[in-house]
Amino acid sequence: MGKIGFVGIRDRGNVGSKENTGNFLHGFAARQIVGGYQEIKRLDTDPATLAKLREEITHLGFVAATTIPVNREPEFTKKHAELADFIEALGLPVVVFGLGAQAPLNATVEDAWVNENTLRLMNVLAAHSQAIAVRGAFTAELLLKYGIGNAEIIGCQSAFLSRRPDFRFPEICKGFADTPWDRTLVSITNISQELEYVVPAMKSGATHIGQSAHFEYQLKEHPPVAALDDLPDETRALLTKGHSNCFAKGSIDFSEYQDWVRKNFQQFYNVPEWLDFIRGRFDLALGTRFHGNMTAMHGGVPALWVVHDSRTQEFCDHLGLPHAQLSTFQNGTPIREIIGEHLDSSRFNAVYPKNYARFYDYLERQGVTHRLAPPLQDM
């Protein structure tokens, strides 16, 4: 069996760095699952460097995350051409982990387009991969539209972090819909769209777990101020449009928000610390951050995913994760009623053994060493 050299999403970051810290779970899970690996820190195509690398590894592992932006060409896609060049020059089989597209919730494959650099990387991956592990049907259909037919729907490897074929969704305690907010984890993507649960969470002392919450991270580090304008320019520069709208309209009082952040905000740059913080302290996780909820699940906390884009939707559909549409919270339905109706683990538990077996088979066919226990025989 072969040894992997990893590129793509890492498993940790420098404390305070301006990254999506949720992706570290994505990278951490891939590394925990494979048997042996090394990190490839530079995409060096020097022939001597490549020759040495081919002696050390048998496969290239690409932890992909939301690599395919739909109908956009953001700055990061310029690096896709560099990665494609490296894969072609190295010439080793590629094992893809968690490739996904990022699109609005109601986007259609028919109307979607992928920029040139990203499309070139997808074709190079297809040529060097026995199969490309993708997050869900939307991503698979999008690749097929461009003639890439070897996508395999796996979901996200973070779902299999336990490495157990009999993993079960955390037990939902009796009366969970009445769980006190101070024992609730909340994750937020766009604060102005999530006010219906952010405001009660703030007022009741829920814990806010940030992923790209760079403004909150700096706000917590800074001594308290009387008004937003008293913050340093470099901190106010981190305000999102959603923050600015909420404070300007009075949807959220800045002083109350600052107090909440200073007392109840956390953002983790490595997964073990994140899991240690969660275990045994919370009864419920709620929010739009996929990996924030996934980390909660592995920390023993029942989670309800709030679906706001195609990425979260296809994850939840394939893996059977409990979820509710963001629009459900925005139409006036009481929060506890939404939680009571949608926080149901039965589908996840029913489909998990087959999803696990599919991922196990995917790695076996790739010929890489891994640490997954064999699937259950009776499924």
Side-chain angles (χ1 to χ4, degrees):
M1 301 291 278
K3 181 180 179 181
I4 283 183
F6 274 115
V7 295
I9 300 298
R10 297 171 297 144
D11 64 343
R12 62 184 57 228
N14 296 323
V15 174
S17 58
K18 294 177 176 58
E19 303 178 68
N20 180 349
T21 57
N23 282 338
F24 298 142
L25 176 66
H26 198 52
F28 179 77
R31 288 162 176 81
Q32 289 295 300
I33 287 166
V34 302
Y37 67 89
Q38 69 183 61
E39 302 290 348
I40 299 174
K41 297 182 179 179
R42 295 179 61 238
L43 304 181
D44 191 345
T45 56
D46 172 72
T49 302
L50 293 174
K52 183 175 184 298
L53 193 55
R54 293 187 200 104
E55 294 176 355
E56 297 170 343
I57 63 173
T58 57
H59 296 72
L60 186 68
F62 176 41
V63 186
T66 46
T67 304
I68 310 174
V70 172
N71 300 344
R72 297 184 301 122
E73 191 169 5
E75 187 70 20
F76 73 82
T77 60
K78 293 180 180 179
K79 297 181 179 180
H80 289 172
E82 180 185 8
L83 180 56
D85 290 342
F86 178 76
I87 292 171
E88 287 189 321
L90 183 62
L92 291 178
V94 180
V95 184
V96 180
F97 293 87
L99 179 69
Q102 180 76 49
L105 184 58
N106 296 316
T108 64
V109 170
E110 181 181 6
D111 295 330
W113 60 266
V114 178
N115 74 78
E116 184 177 339
N117 284 335
T118 302
L119 190 57
R120 176 163 180 263
L121 175 58
M122 296 304 106
N123 279 291
V124 170
L125 288 174
H128 289 79
S129 303
Q130 186 270 339
I132 301 174
V134 299
R135 294 176 167 184
F138 181 86
T139 302
E141 291 169 11
L142 181 62
L143 291 179
L144 189 60
K145 173 182 176 178
Y146 286 99
I148 298 172
N150 62 337
E152 186 169 345
I153 300 174
I154 297 295
C156 180
Q157 65 274 3
S158 64
F160 313 112
L161 177 61
S162 69
R163 307 195 301 270
R164 294 181 52 170
D166 58 350
F167 178 82
R168 306 280 290 179
F169 195 83
E171 185 174 350
I172 301 169
C173 63
K174 186 177 181 181
F176 68 91
D178 298 318
T179 293
W181 276 103
D182 63 0
R183 289 185 60 83
T184 299
L185 295 164
V186 174
S187 63
I188 305 166
T189 300
N190 186 330
I191 192 169
S192 64
Q193 295 180 4
E194 301 172 54
L195 288 171
E196 284 74 14
Y197 55 83
V198 170
V199 171
M202 177 183 73
K203 293 183 179 298
S204 304
T207 296
H208 175 195
I209 300 287
Q211 288 187 200
S212 301
H214 309 311
F215 171 70
E216 283 79 3
Y217 186 88
Q218 290 297 326
L219 186 63
K220 181 168 184 173
E221 294 295 304
H222 194 276
V225 295
L228 181 64
D229 289 344
D230 295 331
L231 288 170
D233 290 345
E234 59 268 24
T235 301
R236 283 188 287 111
L238 298 173
L239 281 164
T240 66
K241 185 179 293 185
H243 285 103
S244 298
N245 288 340
C246 288
F247 296 142
K249 294 178 180 179
S251 305
I252 292 180
D253 179 81
F254 170 72
S255 294
E256 290 184 17
Y257 191 72
Q258 176 183 226
D259 185 58
W260 182 46
V261 167
R262 291 180 60 79
K263 294 177 180 177
N264 297 93
F265 172 80
Q266 300 286 338
Q267 186 158 282
F268 296 95
Y269 291 84
N270 72 77
V271 175
E273 287 186 7
W274 192 346
L275 288 169
D276 286 346
F277 175 80
I278 288 172
R279 288 190 177 106
R281 297 183 58 185
F282 301 95
D283 298 323
L284 176 69
L286 170 72
T288 50
R289 289 292 189 171
F290 178 81
H291 287 104
N293 288 317
M294 186 64 77
T295 307
M297 184 186 81
H298 285 295
V301 182
L304 180 66
W305 279 256
V306 179
V307 172
H308 66 108
D309 61 6
S310 67
R311 175 185 67 104
T312 314
Q313 184 71 68
E314 67 176 353
F315 267 142
C316 291
D317 286 347
H318 178 70
L319 295 170
L321 296 165
H323 64 281
Q325 300 293 316
L326 177 58
S327 58
T328 307
F329 290 88
Q330 297 170 332
N331 67 14
T333 304
I335 296 174
R336 296 302 184 185
E337 183 178 320
I338 297 171
I339 296 170
E341 179 180 350
H342 294 276
L343 188 49
D344 180 358
S345 61
S346 59
R347 184 164 179 267
F348 175 87
N349 289 335
V351 301
Y352 177 84
K354 289 184 179 179
N355 284 333
Y356 179 94
R358 186 180 295 110
F359 182 50
Y360 181 96
D361 181 62
Y362 173 77
L363 294 181
E364 287 281 301
R365 285 186 280 112
Q366 303 281 358
V368 297
T369 304
H370 63 80
R371 303 169 65 198
L372 296 176
L376 301 175
Q377 295 302 308
D378 184 18
M379 291 186 294

